[in-house]
Amino acid sequence: MPVLTASIDPVTRIEGHLKVDVKVDTVNGVQQVVDAFAIGTLFRGFERLLEGRDPRDATIITSRICGVCPTSHALSAALALEAAAGVAGDTPERTAARLMRNLVHGACYIESALLHFYLLSLPDFIQGLPMAPWLPGWDVGRRFDKDTINRFTGHFLQALTMRRNAHEMGAVYGGKLPHTPGYIMGGFTAISSANDKSLFSGYLEDLITFMRDVYVPDTDLMASLYPDYLSHGRGYGNLLAFGVFEQSNSNAADLLLQRGRVTASGSAVQTVDLNAITEQVRYSWYADGDGNLPPSQAVTNPVNPKAGAYSWLKAPRYNGLAYEVGPLARMTVNGDYRNGISVLDRHMARARETLKIALAMREWLAALPVGQGAYTHRAVPVSASGAGITEAPRGALGHWLQVADSKIGRYQVVTPTCWNISPRDDAGLRGPLEQSLIGLPVANVDKPIEVLRVIHSYDPCLDCATHVTRADAGAQVFALGGLPGGQ
Ligand code: NFE
Ligand code: MG
């Protein structure tokens, strides 16, 4: 029987623009995915347009990379700038800045997780109301009875309000969301009043109740009805976390969620050496000479068409290996979740992590001093470099900055979705999502709902993952090429 090809283009209910092509064949009597290609179809970006600008603009500009993880980019940029400018020390200003950064960043995690589970992923599993966003859709592979559908549909509607509340909570200190001006080089732009604290607390307690009583149990219910998805979508089994939520002004390793790595060959947590990271471009629409450089030296030169290339995403690798990043990686590295690696483990770990963060936010809020300024002034350095290493909701995030003549000389962003949804690397090794699809049973090649469930478990954001345009080069138009092998 010939190999069948299914193409999901565009993948809906994600952020940004993604196409996934799979080849399906029958192996040992089971129709399943035998090959997969994840294709970032949009070319755009920020790194090159930052060049030549005032370094302090990086927090405001990089926040606009994405509307669903803007605080993560603003924080990464602020950390990179502070590393370059030498903002350090155990001061009341830095304590207030750290706590408000954590609180607004935490609000962003909650908003992102509720969006992902209820709005973006749930429609793969339930038949909801006969209206958008449930229609149009593939009405296949449903397993819920009427009561369960009603329960989930009700929670979907509640989640709309909870999401809005999470954004309003973040705006108490962030001023506005998604693109808060709160994160700046040297600190944070708010000073908390007692009223701010009680306003924030009101939102937070409601969200904790919703996550504890609704969101976490809903992921468990889904796992009980779809137990096969506790083994589907594993991938390589390599997990990487940079760590996030600083708990100390002076000890960078004191994080709510720790930095570390777990590999397929063992459960012991290993250290992370940022110098072991390279971005590879053999299958990406970038000049071949740009590949295999560490992010601090990386460049971004688009080339399209390019023989063999099929994505605008680069392929980040750690010591040449593809790693999954995100809530499951963080919770596994942190020792909070050790149930496995699969579609439903990603959902269950994400829900539990979000509740853990919300409970920590309660303590950060209690510790936030009223009336305390949160800014430490430093001059922009003439020449310096720095890295801002943290985590966005979807996983490990790094900004690498070089300042020359008091301007941004080089800027490089490596996002979580670049790790998870990367194409093949120089050695031909598939990216984590691509590998997670191999062996996945597909009942109906015309409606490959199983593939969609695996894709959504990673919560891809292609806005974050694609790269850059040159402000001085004018508009450039590219025709997308075919896949390797001419599919
Ligand atoms: Ni656009 Fe982002 C997150 C970052 S994704 S959502 O989370 O950085 O890859
Ligand atoms: Mg980049």
Side-chain angles (χ1 to χ4, degrees):
M1 180 177 156
V3 173
L4 303 168
T5 300
S7 183
I8 305 179
D9 180 21
V11 177
T12 53
R13 284 183 276 111
I14 61 166
E15 296 88 5
H17 299 77
L18 171 67
K19 171 182 178 184
V20 171
D21 284 358
V22 292
K23 293 182 183 176
V24 175
D25 201 358
T26 299
V27 180
N28 298 326
V30 178
Q31 182 167 278
Q32 58 187 265
V33 175
V34 294
D35 207 354
F37 298 87
I39 303 150
T41 59
L42 267 195
F43 172 70
R44 66 142 197 87
F46 281 70
E47 286 129 322
R48 292 282 294 269
L49 65 83
L50 283 160
E51 292 172 12
R53 291 180 185 269
D54 188 312
R56 291 167 297 194
D57 289 348
T59 57
I60 296 297
I61 292 175
T62 61
S63 165
R64 270 74 182 171
I65 287 174
C66 178
V68 83
C69 64
T71 54
S72 312
H73 288 290
L75 173 63
S76 246
L79 293 173
L81 290 160
E82 287 164 11
V87 180
D90 198 8
T91 63
E93 288 78 13
R94 295 198 73 231
T95 298
R98 176 172 52 77
L99 293 170
M100 284 190 282
R101 285 176 177 187
N102 283 355
L103 288 167
V104 180
H105 204 201
C108 183
Y109 272 66
I110 295 170
E111 187 277 333
S112 179
L114 296 178
L115 163 73
H116 173 254
F117 185 74
Y118 287 101
L119 280 69
L120 305 182
S121 296
L122 198 55
D124 292 342
F125 294 88
I126 69 161
Q127 182 182 10
L129 303 173
M131 58 187 285
W134 295 284
L135 290 177
W138 296 331
D139 190 15
V140 291
R142 313 293 195 197
R143 300 182 194 169
F144 294 147
D145 61 23
K146 196 164 176 297
D147 286 347
T148 314
I149 292 170
N150 285 342
R151 165 182 162 152
F152 275 121
T153 309
H155 292 171
F156 176 102
L157 295 172
Q158 275 181 270
L160 298 176
T161 303
M162 288 294 149
R163 259 195 84 203
R164 187 185 67 213
N165 289 354
H167 259 165
E168 288 180 3
M169 175 173 72
V172 170
Y173 295 121
K176 68 182 185 72
L177 281 172
H179 299 300
T180 167
Y183 297 79
I184 54 172
M185 171 179 142
F188 203 82
T189 55
I191 296 175
S192 183
S193 68
N195 191 46
D196 290 336
K197 290 183 68 163
S198 76
L199 189 58
F200 198 104
S201 176
Y203 284 119
L204 182 59
E205 293 307 318
D206 279 356
L207 286 161
I208 287 172
T209 302
F210 182 78
M211 289 189 285
R212 189 191 56 214
D213 298 347
V214 178
Y215 178 26
V216 171
D218 277 353
T219 61
D220 293 344
L221 176 61
M222 191 184 276
S224 72
L225 290 161
Y226 285 84
D228 40 333
Y229 282 83
L230 287 166
S231 51
H232 292 334
R234 172 179 163 82
Y236 290 111
N238 300 324
L239 304 173
L240 171 69
F242 286 170
V244 64
F245 293 115
E246 297 175 2
Q247 304 197 110
S248 157
N249 295 340
S250 46
N251 178 6
D254 186 1
L255 300 164
L256 178 71
L257 294 157
Q258 302 300 310
R259 182 173 297 185
R261 266 181 318 123
V262 175
T263 65
S265 52
S267 61
V269 177
Q270 301 179 44
T271 56
V272 174
D273 173 7
L274 296 173
N275 295 314
I277 296 169
T278 57
E279 286 193 294
Q280 304 185 8
V281 297
R282 179 171 165 196
Y283 292 93
S284 311
W285 284 306
Y286 299 97
D288 282 324
D290 294 358
N292 235 350
L293 292 168
S296 59
Q297 295 164 37
V299 287
T300 305
N301 294 303
V303 175
N304 182 299
K306 172 179 152 181
Y310 64 95
S311 181
W312 285 110
L313 277 64
K314 295 181 178 180
R317 293 293 185 264
Y318 185 96
N319 274 343
L321 290 181
Y323 276 78
E324 172 177 346
V325 298
L328 178 61
R330 289 189 291 260
M331 291 288 274
T332 302
V333 164
N334 219 47
D336 290 322
Y337 190 92
R338 286 291 169 91
N339 194 51
I341 303 174
S342 68
V343 167
L344 280 165
D345 286 304
R346 290 187 189 102
H347 287 293
M348 292 194 291
R350 188 180 289 106
R352 283 158 177 74
E353 181 193 55
T354 315
L355 179 57
K356 177 186 172 86
I357 293 166
L359 293 172
M361 288 166 70
R362 200 187 251 166
E363 293 177 27
W364 297 326
L365 185 66
L368 179 63
V370 168
Q372 173 61 54
Y375 177 63
T376 309
H377 181 74
R378 289 285 183 282
V380 172
V382 176
S383 172
S385 61
I389 305 300
T390 184
E391 295 268 338
R394 284 152 198 74
L397 173 66
H399 285 204
W400 282 264
L401 160 79
Q402 273 181 24
V403 180
D405 292 332
S406 300
K407 303 286 186 202
I408 294 173
R410 183 198 297 275
Y411 208 96
Q412 187 56 240
V413 176
V414 181
T415 62
T417 291
C418 258
W419 286 95
N420 287 336
I421 314 297
S422 71
R424 284 149 174 77
D425 58 27
D426 292 7
L429 209 62
R430 294 184 190 96
L433 167 68
E434 293 178 335
Q435 186 66 21
S436 294
L437 290 165
I438 306 303
L440 179 73
V442 173
N444 180 348
V445 179
D446 294 326
K447 295 179 178 175
I449 188 73
E450 303 89 345
V451 174
L452 214 46
R453 289 171 181 155
V454 174
I455 297 169
H456 282 145
S457 71
Y458 280 98
D459 192 8
C461 175
L462 278 290
D463 291 337
C464 278
T466 45
H467 279 72
V468 96
T469 190
R470 276 185 56 181
D472 61 350
Q476 299 182 48
V477 178
F478 298 98
L480 291 177
L483 290 178
Q487 295 86 13

